Amino acid sequence: MSNMLKVNIQKKLSEFDLDIDFQLKNKRLGILGPSGCGKSMTLKSIAGIVNPDEGIISLTTNEKIDYYDSQNKINLKPQNRNVGYLFQNYALFPNMTVEENVAIGLSNNQEKTRVSEMIKRFHLEGLEKRYPRQLSGGQQQRVALARILAYGPDVILLDEPFSAMDTFLKEQLRMELLNLLEGFEGFSIMVTHDRDEAFQFCDELIVLDKGKIIAKGDTYEIFENPRKVQVARLTGCKNISKIEMIDEHHLKSLDWGIELEVSEKITPNITHIGIRAHDFTFAEKGEVNVIDTQNSTILEMPFEWEITLENGLWWKYDKQIHEHEFNMPDHLKINPEDIILLEV
């Protein structure tokens, strides 16, 4: 019997209807989407904090456990689901010390050795007697994760775990969490609106928009070929244009006013194209898909130049921090295979 988390739920909300259906077999899933699209509601339904209107949530490891089954009137309480939920604000008990927070949910027999093990694993030595208010944001997150992992959950749910952190701390904790999840035997689901987090952490990805799944599959594949306009935007594609088809491999960009050749066949359902900002290369006049760079706007950033071409296309070019001069080429090109065909 293969391990699997199955979620097929529906819930009527004021803004939209939540309709989620997936089966998770790989260890790490990401749910990517804009604020208010139903990401956190999905996590809370899995944890048992919120009840869907109908559907099924089940976990299969050595045996099948139904967390929720509307037809058979099954609805396990959160404490009976063996699911660890990391809230955005960590939800530590303010009047308990670090070691008391970690020990929540453990039996007396487990407590001493397990707490000691978690304190060491999460580098919390010396902080055992401190209260949450005496800890930094990063330390609070480590305590919350230690508390979750202390009782050995089958599923870890991470709700925007880095949203309240500064950039330096975020990078540090991303690596720590990544290492932790590598050694975790169960399933993890991370909700995020940050494409970098989704790419770093997740084997599989679901993209949500207004309560509906608009893409799901292997994370690399979704980033490489987003297929839909909204998925392309959410995975960081800055250049998107409506198109007019010329023939099966040529089109006109209606937003940039240029004609382009593409490698993939243009089918009638294709309405837009996408070009990622790093995919332009230097070119000579007369090459395929050449774009003139006259009258471009150049903005220097610490590690890249951001160039906006006259027709509105956006190009990013990597630089070293000590470089402060940029020789603009007369022409750029975009290879036909780097143009992403999109439908609405």
Side-chain angles (χ1 to χ4, degrees):
M1 190 184 290
S2 61
N3 291 358
M4 183 172 70
L5 178 67
K6 181 179 179 181
V7 178
N8 183 349
I9 53 171
Q10 296 78 45
K11 185 174 179 64
K12 196 165 189 62
L13 303 171
S14 56
E15 303 85 7
F16 50 77
D17 293 344
L18 186 70
D19 187 0
I20 303 294
D21 185 7
F22 67 86
Q23 294 182 2
L24 179 59
K25 293 182 181 176
N26 279 338
K27 283 170 59 178
R28 300 198 302 260
L29 172 72
I31 302 180
L32 178 67
S35 297
C37 71
K39 303 187 302 291
S40 293
M41 188 64 71
T42 301
L43 284 200
K44 286 172 181 170
S45 298
I46 296 168
I49 299 165
V50 164
N51 293 329
D53 295 335
E54 57 183 302
I56 293 171
I57 303 169
S58 66
L59 176 72
T60 304
T61 50
N62 298 325
E63 58 179 341
K64 182 169 176 275
I65 304 166
D66 290 319
Y67 290 165
Y68 176 82
D69 184 338
S70 57
Q71 200 166 351
N72 294 307
K73 302 200 182 324
I74 296 169
N75 189 10
L76 292 188
K77 291 179 179 176
Q79 57 267 36
N80 296 330
R81 295 192 184 200
N82 205 26
V83 170
Y85 195 120
L86 183 69
F87 292 88
Q88 286 182 19
N89 61 358
Y90 314 130
L92 297 175
F93 293 100
N95 298 323
M96 290 186 179
T97 62
V98 165
E99 60 188 359
E100 287 169 343
N101 264 287
V102 174
I104 287 289
L106 297 176
S107 68
N108 291 333
N109 295 336
Q110 294 174 299
E111 194 172 305
K112 196 165 184 182
T113 53
R114 194 70 175 140
V115 168
S116 173
E117 187 185 319
M118 290 295 115
I119 293 289
K120 190 173 180 183
R121 182 172 175 182
F122 286 91
H123 312 295
L124 296 165
E125 298 98 326
L127 304 176
E128 294 92 336
K129 304 298 180 188
R130 289 195 188 177
Y131 292 91
R133 65 181 178 276
Q134 299 170 309
L135 303 175
S136 69
Q139 290 166 341
Q140 287 183 34
Q141 186 186 71
R142 293 209 296 272
V143 174
L145 283 166
R147 181 177 67 185
I148 287 169
L149 287 179
Y151 61 85
D154 296 314
V155 183
I156 295 177
L157 305 175
L158 304 155
D159 193 351
E160 302 268 12
F162 307 109
S163 60
M165 294 182 189
D166 62 52
T167 306
F168 175 74
L169 185 58
K170 191 182 287 190
E171 290 303 321
Q172 191 181 353
L173 284 173
R174 273 182 182 172
M175 292 310 300
E176 285 185 22
L177 185 55
L178 199 54
N179 292 334
L180 179 148
L181 292 177
E182 287 288 348
F184 177 58
E185 292 301 313
F187 294 108
S188 68
I189 302 178
M190 175 185 281
V191 149
T192 182
H193 63 269
D194 185 311
R195 67 177 189 274
D196 294 344
E197 286 171 16
F199 191 83
Q200 269 184 323
F201 280 91
C202 309
D203 306 313
E204 291 183 35
L205 190 62
I206 284 172
V207 183
L208 271 194
D209 189 33
K210 295 178 183 171
K212 305 284 187 295
I213 294 174
I214 58 171
K216 63 179 171 181
D218 178 84
T219 301
Y220 289 158
E221 285 177 17
I222 288 175
F223 271 78
E224 275 184 39
N225 190 4
R227 298 185 183 275
K228 291 181 181 287
V229 170
Q230 180 67 341
V231 179
R233 283 201 183 99
L234 288 167
T235 54
C237 185
K238 299 291 186 185
N239 298 307
I240 295 175
S241 169
K242 289 181 180 176
I243 65 148
E244 192 176 88
M245 181 178 166
I246 298 170
D247 61 38
E248 288 186 344
H249 291 281
H250 296 86
L251 55 84
K252 182 178 181 182
S253 156
L254 299 180
D255 293 83
W256 309 318
I258 52 176
E259 292 184 6
L260 296 165
E261 179 180 313
V262 297
S263 60
E264 199 179 332
K265 183 178 173 182
I266 306 166
T267 54
N269 57 318
I270 300 301
T271 58
H272 293 69
I273 55 167
I275 300 174
R276 297 201 182 273
H278 281 101
D279 281 346
F280 294 96
T281 54
F282 291 14
E284 298 294 330
K285 194 171 183 178
E287 291 187 69
V288 173
N289 294 347
V290 164
I291 302 159
D292 195 299
T293 63
Q294 282 186 344
N295 302 319
S296 298
T297 304
I298 303 170
L299 182 65
E300 183 182 3
M301 305 297 282
F303 301 106
E304 61 196 3
W305 303 96
E306 292 185 359
I307 298 105
T308 306
L309 305 184
E310 189 176 25
N311 62 6
L313 276 164
W314 199 54
W315 171 38
K316 277 190 173 186
Y317 186 68
D318 292 339
K319 68 183 269 287
Q320 300 296 318
I321 197 159
H322 58 265
E323 287 181 65
H324 300 296
E325 289 186 18
F326 178 60
N327 295 320
M328 189 74 174
D330 292 331
H331 301 92
L332 293 175
K333 68 176 178 182
I334 182 73
N335 291 322
E337 60 270 22
D338 290 329
I339 296 175
I340 307 164
L341 302 185
L342 300 167
E343 53 188 88
V344 176

